[in-house]
Amino acid sequence: MVRFYYVIIASFFLILYYVPKMAYYAKHTEKYTETQCYKLAMRVMWLIRKKGRISTTAFGSETLPEDGGYIMYANHQGKYDTIGIMTSHKKPCSIVIDSVTAKRLIVNQAVDLVKGKRFVRGDIKQQAGEIVRIIKEVKAGRRYIVFPEAGYDDNKNELIEFHAGSFKMALKAQCPIVPVALWDSWKVFYGRSLKPVKSQVHFLKPIAFEEYKEMNTQQICELVKSRIQEKLDELRAATEEARECEKADTLTKSRFLGVYDWSVLLTYVSLCFGILGSCMAIGSKLANAMACLVLSALFEKLNEKFERAKLAKCGAEEHRYGTHADSLSNLICFGVLPCAIGYAVGLDSMIHMVFYTFYIISVVVRLAYFNAKTESEEDSSKKYLIGLPVLSIAILLPVLYLFKDILGSVYQLIMTCIYPIAGISYISSFRIRKPKALEEREELVAQKNEEIEAGDRVNQ
């Protein structure tokens, strides 16, 4: 209701201007045509929408009858329903409203402007007289909005009981019935938010008199209700699907590109240590560079644990993003950084450059291979590591560095041999038994890949 009172306060001076004007127009019909009165009512309704930051999208307007009168039967959700329908309806139309509701400020004047009819609760004679007048006007070409539910206590996007008696007007007028499905109309004046709000008006396919002339009012009531319910179910399913897609599509939730959950943030931290270690190596600070290499590997292992816990819940795009981010980070941390350390040790000849080049290419090949790997592999591959993991360099280089004084001149020779041997080990097809925890993670990854492939097939 906050938005409702906000519109009243924000439009205070407009109300002071338009309420007397609306009353004057409605009273002096000899001066102002019905079209002029209707335009004034529409002007006020559009101002309410603008002040309230309300937008309504109309669907099915092209199905409305071009000529003659008809009655629109809509589900009822709140105070905004009539405004939503009338501002979405291309041609002038009127409203059937409860007399108590019609006494409210602005509503009273608007009902007079659009030639609306007021029903007094409990007064059968008065209601019968109004129904007779509505039937005559519909036959003459006027269009009416009727809410067969009557109330809207907490309807939201659900239907409550329709009153079959409200369909007597259409049956007697022998006019088309236009079912109208309102979606999210209840959100407009509900709650405490002033954020922009959207609603939908769906004009469903008209029901010609020939289709329902043999039915009684109860049967007509069930027919109209079923059509509206069918549309609401369709919209509900589409909304749920969109919500699931939004939940899975975490790449667009932030104002910045990318994903920033705990798992991926650990990848970024690992990458930071990889970059920092490369800078340390360039500055010949070998101890610091080795420490950064070890820290990169530690954060990478932490990332794997977080990823295993998150894998069953993350969306397809988030999973794919994490995989590529992890590979690019590994290229810097366990591809470029080890080569920078080797260069800082003094391995700077042409043959060493060749070894570094081969080593980095091997890292790229391994990472690209496992990114592109599919489920067509043998079952045994799920229990074994193929080749040497790139993280192993984070153990080899620091261990060698700790014993460099003992190794003496042999240290540089061993360092020289590590790069081509490690590169070959990365791209070799020998197998190493996986730890049980890693097997479980691979199973989760396989399941997620199946979901991604299924989603891709649906999109195609």
Side-chain angles (χ1 to χ4, degrees), residues 312 375 441-452:
E375 288 299 305
R441 176 178 178 274
E442 290 292 334
E443 289 179 1
L444 284 174
V445 171
Q447 292 175 5
K448 184 57 63 176
N449 285 335
E450 288 179 0
E451 293 176 10
I452 293 172

Side-chain angles (χ1 to χ4, degrees), residues 71-77 81-82 85 95-98 119 121 127 144-153 155 158-170 177-182 204 207 217-229 232:
I71 300 178
M72 293 173 276
Y73 288 90
N75 57 313
H76 211 357
Q77 297 191 8
D81 295 350
T82 302
I85 296 174
I95 178 74
V96 177
I97 191 171
D98 175 67
F119 277 17
R121 290 184 182 179
Q127 292 181 14
Y144 271 92
I145 302 169
V146 176
F147 296 104
E149 290 170 303
Y152 56 83
D153 291 337
N155 298 9
E158 301 290 342
L159 296 183
I160 60 175
E161 183 183 357
F162 277 29
H163 295 278
S166 62
F167 293 89
K168 287 181 180 179
M169 294 178 284
I177 292 175
V178 179
V180 180
L182 298 177
L204 308 183
I207 304 172
T217 54
Q218 185 60 46
Q219 292 172 325
I220 299 171
C221 175
E222 292 300 327
L223 174 62
V224 174
K225 185 177 181 180
S226 65
R227 299 244 179 132
I228 295 175
Q229 184 65 66
L232 293 180

Side-chain angles (χ1 to χ4, degrees), residues 163-402:
H163 295 278
S166 62
F167 293 89
K168 287 181 180 179
M169 294 178 284
L171 191 61
K172 296 292 184 181
Q174 301 183 5
C175 67
I177 292 175
V178 179
V180 180
L182 298 177
W183 182 259
D184 285 347
S185 186
W186 64 274
K187 292 182 178 180
V188 175
F189 293 131
Y190 183 85
R192 301 178 181 178
S193 175
L194 291 177
K195 293 181 180 180
V197 62
K198 296 180 180 180
S199 70
Q200 299 178 26
V201 175
H202 294 261
F203 297 105
L204 308 183
K205 184 180 178 182
I207 304 172
F209 175 67
E210 288 72 20
E211 293 183 51
Y212 68 86
K213 65 180 180 180
E214 302 297 331
M215 301 180 182
N216 57 38
T217 54
Q218 185 60 46
Q219 292 172 325
I220 299 171
C221 175
E222 292 300 327
L223 174 62
V224 174
K225 185 177 181 180
S226 65
R227 299 244 179 132
I228 295 175
Q229 184 65 66
E230 183 180 348
K231 174 54 69 172
L232 293 180
D233 291 341
E234 178 186 325
L235 293 171
R236 187 174 293 106
T239 301
E240 288 296 328
E241 182 179 354
R243 190 178 290 116
E244 288 298 322
C245 291
E246 183 181 353
K247 181 179 178 181
D249 185 13
T250 55
L251 300 186
T252 58
K253 286 186 177 180
S254 173
R255 293 185 179 181
F256 302 97
L257 298 179
V259 177
Y260 301 95
D261 61 29
W262 279 107
S263 175
V264 183
L265 284 176
L266 289 172
T267 297
Y268 298 152
V269 173
S270 176
L271 176 58
C272 289
F273 279 112
I275 296 170
L276 181 60
S278 300
C279 296
M280 292 293 181
I282 293 172
S284 298
K285 298 178 181 179
L286 281 175
N288 293 337
M290 291 292 184
C292 287
L293 179 61
V294 173
L295 287 170
S296 290
L298 287 175
F299 276 99
E300 180 60 29
K301 295 304 291 183
L302 280 174
N303 172 46
E304 289 181 3
K305 289 187 177 181
F306 272 92
E307 185 181 9
R308 187 166 66 251
K310 184 197 72 171
L311 206 54
K313 300 178 181 179
C314 71
E317 289 192 354
E318 184 180 356
H319 170 66
R320 191 182 291 116
Y321 176 91
T323 301
H324 291 304
D326 192 52
S327 295
L328 293 172
S329 174
N330 287 347
L331 175 59
I332 301 296
C333 298
F334 312 114
V336 175
L337 175 54
C339 293
I341 290 174
Y343 192 87
V345 168
L347 308 179
D348 54 0
S349 66
M350 184 55 66
I351 187 63
H352 291 116
M353 299 301 140
V354 173
F355 287 164
Y356 296 152
T357 302
F358 172 73
Y359 175 83
I360 293 177
I361 290 176
S362 299
V363 172
V364 171
V365 169
R366 181 177 180 83
L367 296 175
Y369 169 78
F370 283 103
N371 276 359
K373 187 175 66 171
T374 62
E375 288 299 305
S376 60
E377 299 177 44
E378 299 176 0
D379 292 338
S380 59
S381 66
K382 295 181 180 180
K383 298 182 179 181
Y384 293 89
L385 287 170
I386 302 175
L388 190 69
V390 293
L391 267 71
S392 58
I393 199 70
I395 300 174
L396 293 174
L397 294 187
V399 169
L400 279 175
Y401 181 74
L402 290 175

Side-chain angles (χ1 to χ4, degrees), residues 2-22:
V2 171
R3 191 188 307 273
F4 179 76
Y5 295 118
Y6 169 79
V7 170
I8 293 175
I9 295 170
S11 308
F12 180 73
F13 293 105
L14 290 173
I15 291 173
L16 292 179
Y17 171 75
Y18 276 108
V19 168
K21 185 175 182 178
M22 293 167 71

